[in-house]
């Protein structure tokens, strides 16, 4: 390549980076992280967060044991369309406001000026809780999956104790924390491999089960028509919807790629495209994976088997011990990738929210370590909180499941706050807020996608906060609803009673807020202190 051609390429890159920095400047932010992620590594990261076959493996018990094959397959179809609508809605908003805060930052710019700080503060805390629970839940499942491999290797004679699972869980969180403290360039290189690990592992599972189990596969009428209700609710329709727990767990944290926006080149396009592409690829592969797994069921009444995981038992039944261990090793590797990716998304979320002073940490968690140019203190914080979550396992499995089960509900709720606000602007023709779409947008059609996403979120959230089995008691109660509701209520009260003195919204008082609010409310410009005096 000639020198002038190289210079032209570098100039293009510099101009894109300059444009991204200008967008951040308008949002009242200054980039501290290095832009090292490319289109491929961002897509790899998006796929890594979803971790198709590994995430299915950790949650496949729910649809199969409570509703049978019908619940697994048909809930996946329903959930895929809903998740794609949410992902597209999130991607559209992220394109307009690409920051490490992700959808939390977006919230402040699609609600009326008088509600910006209070609503975005509540959204920040919903995001914090959902993001902290995600990597903890993934690593807890990973520890169970590793010991499931030991169970297969010992022909079912080994069963891990509570202490062994917890000890491995703590070690996994520390290890992922060390990885996510590396410089951005190292994380970019790791993320590029996630594409191939994800696709290879999932395709291998899809092909290997029917190929190895040929002659002993379940009949088609069982796979496509067997829907039962073992939940105790005596309602097959509800049993089918309970399968959404698997779908929504696999396809959540849609804005994970958005949290890399300040480290991604041309973030306004790369991040949203990666989000939608990741969900689409996962939805298609997951559909065929569910079908393959259901054909591999030998005896439904014998599941989940000694491993405690339906997915692992199906591999064992069809591939034998050696084949199952070989393929299960790749599933474990993919789950480890998912743990690293989810934790990185969480770290960047905490970094951005701390930077906006929405946490009582004096912005400590937003400090960037000079040597790696990454928020290492935030990484340490996330690891410590995950370890604390894990200690709940000593109390009971119900206690720790209560924490981990809130991931999908909390994150989906955080997405719907700005999506519903954007819908409100459109439906009421409100002039209080001027939403300016980014380069990735769906035009007028996008509002119908937003509406579908909103309605779908109401449905799936209603299902996910319901107890999965009856009778409902202390060990079967679903505490997701009370936890998420408590976070919303307490954070709002805390803001109204005290923290409004310290929090002005994402980016504080910035130029874009002035530009938007002065068009309708000229008196709204001025410093935060002047506004408080007027109030």
């Amino acid at each position: 390549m000639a020198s002038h051609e190289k210079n032209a390429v570098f100039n293009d890159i510099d101009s894109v980076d300059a444009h991204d920095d200008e967008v951040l400047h308008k949002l009242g932010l200054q980039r501290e992280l290095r832009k090292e992620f490319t289109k491929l590594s961002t897509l790899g990261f998006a796929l890594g967060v979803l971790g198709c076959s590994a995430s299915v493996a950790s949650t496949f018990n729910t649809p199969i044991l409570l509703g049978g094959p019908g619940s697994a397959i048909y809930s996946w179809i329903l959930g895929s369309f809903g998740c794609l609508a949410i992902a597209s809605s999130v991607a559209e908003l992220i394109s307009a406001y690409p920051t490490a805060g992700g959808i939390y930052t977006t919230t402040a710019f699609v609600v009326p000026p008088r509600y910006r700080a209070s609503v975005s503060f509540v959204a920040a805390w919903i995001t914090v809780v959902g993001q902290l629970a995600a990597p903890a839940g993934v690593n807890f499942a990973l520890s169970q999956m590793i010991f499931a491999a030991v169970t297969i290797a010992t022909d079912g004679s080994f069963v891990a104790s509570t202490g062994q699972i917890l000890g491995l869980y703590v070690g996994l969180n520390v290890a992922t924390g060390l990885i996510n403290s590396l410089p951005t360039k190292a994380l970019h290189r790791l993320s590029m491999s996630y594409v191939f690990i994800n696709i290879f592992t999932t395709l291998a599972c899809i092909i290997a089960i029917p190929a190895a189990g040929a002659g002993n596969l379940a009949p088609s009428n069982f796979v496509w028509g067997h829907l039962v209700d073992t939940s105790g609710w005596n309602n097959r329709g509800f049993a089918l919807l309970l399968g959404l727990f698997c779908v929504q767990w696999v396809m959540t944290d849609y804005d994970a790629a958005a949290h890399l926006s300040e480290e991604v080149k041309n973030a306004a396009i790369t991040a949203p495209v990666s989000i939608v592409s990741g969900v689409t690829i996962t939805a298609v592969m997951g559909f065929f994976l569910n079908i393959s797994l259901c054909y591999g069921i030998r005896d439904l009444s014998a599941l989940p088997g000694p491993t405690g995981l339906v997915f692992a038992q199906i591999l064992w039944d069809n591939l034998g011990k050696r084949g199952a261990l070989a393929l299960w090793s790749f599933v474990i590797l993919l789950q480890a990738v998912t743990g690293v990716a989810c934790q990185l998304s969480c770290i960047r979320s905490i970094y951005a929210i701390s930077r906006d002073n929405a946490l009582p940490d004096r912005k400590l968690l937003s400090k960037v370590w000079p040597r790696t140019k990454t928020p290492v203190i935030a990484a340490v914080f996330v690891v410590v909180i995950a370890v604390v979550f894990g200690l709940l396992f000593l109390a009971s499995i119900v206690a720790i499941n209560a924490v981990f089960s809130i991931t999908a509900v909390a994150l989906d709720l955080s997405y719907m706050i700005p999506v519903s606000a954007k819908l409100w602007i459109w439906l009421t023709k409100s002039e209080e807020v001027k939403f300016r779409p980014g380069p990735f947008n769906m035009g007028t059609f996008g509002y119908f996608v937003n509406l579908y996403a909103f309605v779908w979120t109401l449905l799936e959230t209603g299902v996910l906060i319901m107890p999965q089995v009856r009778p409902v008691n202390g060990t079967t109660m679903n505490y997701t609803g009370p936890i998420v509701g408590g976070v919303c209520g307490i954070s709002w009260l805390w803001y109204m009673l005290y923290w409004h003195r310290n929090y002005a919204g994402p980016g504080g008082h910035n130029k874009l807020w002035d530009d938007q609010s002065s068009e309708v409310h000229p008196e709204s410009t001025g410093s935060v202190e002047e506004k408080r005096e007027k109030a």
Side-chain angles (χ1 to χ4, degrees):
M1 181 182 291
S3 61
H4 68 277
E5 291 177 336
K6 289 183 179 180
N7 291 334
V9 171
F10 290 133
N11 288 337
D12 289 342
I13 293 173
D14 290 341
S15 64
V16 168
D17 290 350
H19 177 265
D20 288 350
D21 290 347
E22 178 62 23
V23 172
L24 287 176
H25 177 69
K26 287 184 177 180
L27 296 175
L29 303 170
Q30 182 176 355
R31 179 169 61 88
E32 298 177 281
L33 308 176
R34 289 176 174 169
K35 282 186 173 290
E36 303 284 2
F37 276 80
T38 62
K39 292 178 182 178
L40 179 60
S41 57
T42 306
L43 175 60
F45 178 79
L47 286 170
V49 167
L50 302 176
C52 185
S53 55
S55 296
V56 169
S58 61
T59 54
F60 198 59
N61 283 29
T62 298
I64 291 299
L65 299 182
L66 297 182
S71 176
I73 293 175
Y74 296 117
S75 65
W76 187 274
I77 295 172
L78 290 172
S80 292
F81 285 105
C83 291
L84 186 56
I86 300 174
S88 300
S89 300
V90 167
E92 192 174 42
L93 290 166
I94 293 301
S95 181
Y97 308 100
T99 75
I103 206 71
Y104 144 72
T105 301
T106 300
T107 301
F109 299 99
V110 290
V111 298
R114 59 185 178 277
Y115 300 124
R116 277 174 176 156
S118 60
V119 173
S120 63
F121 186 79
V122 173
W125 276 91
I126 297 173
T127 300
V128 166
V129 171
Q131 288 286 352
L132 285 172
V138 171
N139 282 329
F140 188 79
L142 175 57
S143 65
Q144 293 176 310
M145 292 165 70
I146 291 173
F147 281 118
V150 180
T151 300
I152 295 174
T154 58
D155 295 316
S157 63
F158 174 84
V159 178
S161 66
T162 298
Q164 289 171 324
I165 293 174
L166 181 58
L168 180 56
Y169 165 78
V170 171
L172 291 170
N173 277 284
V174 172
T176 52
L178 291 172
I179 292 173
N180 285 319
S181 297
L182 294 172
T184 303
K185 178 164 282 189
L187 297 174
H188 145 73
R189 289 171 178 167
L190 279 173
S191 295
M192 286 196 295
S193 67
Y194 297 170
V195 175
F196 309 105
I197 294 173
N198 197 323
I199 294 177
F200 170 80
T201 302
T202 304
L203 289 179
C205 291
I206 293 171
I207 297 169
I209 294 172
N216 295 295
L217 298 176
S220 293
N221 61 348
F222 170 80
V223 172
W224 297 95
H226 190 69
L227 178 64
V228 296
D229 175 20
T230 60
S231 67
W233 285 101
N234 297 319
N235 188 311
R236 289 192 178 187
F238 184 67
L240 184 150
L241 292 176
L242 285 175
L244 293 176
F245 177 79
C246 177
V247 190
Q248 300 301 141
W249 171 260
V250 175
M251 292 189 283
T252 191
D253 206 356
Y254 304 106
D255 71 331
H259 294 303
L260 297 181
S261 290
E262 293 172 38
E263 299 162 89
V264 173
K265 301 179 188 300
N266 199 10
I269 294 178
T270 302
V273 168
S274 296
I275 291 170
V276 176
S277 300
V279 171
T280 301
I281 293 171
T282 300
V284 173
M285 290 197 306
F287 173 68
F288 290 104
L289 177 62
N290 273 272
I291 294 173
S292 180
L293 287 166
C294 289
Y295 271 106
I297 295 175
R298 297 289 178 86
D299 182 1
L300 182 60
S301 63
L303 296 175
T307 65
L309 295 172
V310 172
F311 193 115
Q313 189 63 42
I314 291 174
L315 292 183
W316 194 358
D317 289 341
N318 289 275
L319 280 71
K321 184 167 76 173
R322 290 186 178 181
L325 284 173
L327 191 50
W328 188 243
S329 297
F330 283 98
V331 176
I332 289 173
L333 174 61
L334 180 56
Q335 183 75 351
V337 164
T338 302
V340 172
C342 285
Q343 191 189 73
L344 180 57
S345 173
C346 178
I347 291 168
R348 296 303 186 261
S349 299
I350 298 296
Y351 159 79
I353 292 171
S354 172
R355 180 176 61 183
D356 293 331
N357 205 32
L359 299 176
D361 64 331
R362 297 182 180 272
K363 300 188 178 183
L364 176 64
L365 300 180
S366 66
K367 301 297 183 184
V368 173
W369 195 28
R371 186 169 182 176
T372 63
K373 294 295 182 181
T374 55
V376 174
I377 299 177
V380 173
F381 172 78
V382 171
V383 170
V384 171
I385 296 299
V387 171
V388 172
F389 283 168
L391 294 178
L392 292 173
F393 189 42
L394 296 175
S396 70
I397 189 65
V398 176
I400 196 168
N401 282 342
V403 174
F404 298 155
S405 64
I406 68 176
T407 299
V409 173
L411 292 179
D412 285 356
L413 178 59
S414 73
Y415 304 150
M416 282 308 106
I417 295 174
V419 170
S420 58
K422 178 174 173 283
L423 271 173
W424 179 256
I425 296 170
W426 178 59
L427 292 172
T428 63
K429 309 299 181 185
S430 173
E431 295 187 359
E432 279 192 288
V433 181
K434 299 293 185 181
F435 173 71
R436 298 179 177 89
F440 180 94
N441 69 86
M442 296 178 283
T444 303
F445 177 72
Y447 291 103
F448 296 99
V449 175
N450 298 160
L451 181 60
Y452 182 76
F454 178 76
V455 173
W456 173 256
T457 302
L458 292 179
L459 172 64
E460 53 97 351
T461 300
V463 173
L464 294 184
I465 64 175
M466 288 286 290
Q468 293 184 344
V469 298
R470 292 183 65 186
V472 180
N473 51 45
T475 59
T476 60
M477 175 61 183
N478 187 341
Y479 295 96
T480 302
I483 292 174
V484 175
V487 170
C488 294
I490 293 172
S491 61
W492 183 79
L493 283 174
W494 182 30
Y495 172 81
M496 298 301 294
L497 295 177
Y498 179 71
W499 206 250
H500 63 275
R501 306 172 187 176
N502 304 294
Y503 178 76
H509 180 74
N510 60 68
K511 184 179 183 299
L512 186 57
W513 284 26
D514 286 345
D515 292 344
Q516 287 189 353
S517 58
S518 61
E519 294 177 5
V520 182
H521 303 288
E523 72 281 1
S524 66
T525 58
S527 67
V528 175
E529 290 74 15
E530 288 172 347
K531 290 180 183 180
R532 290 175 186 148
E533 290 177 2
K534 289 180 181 179

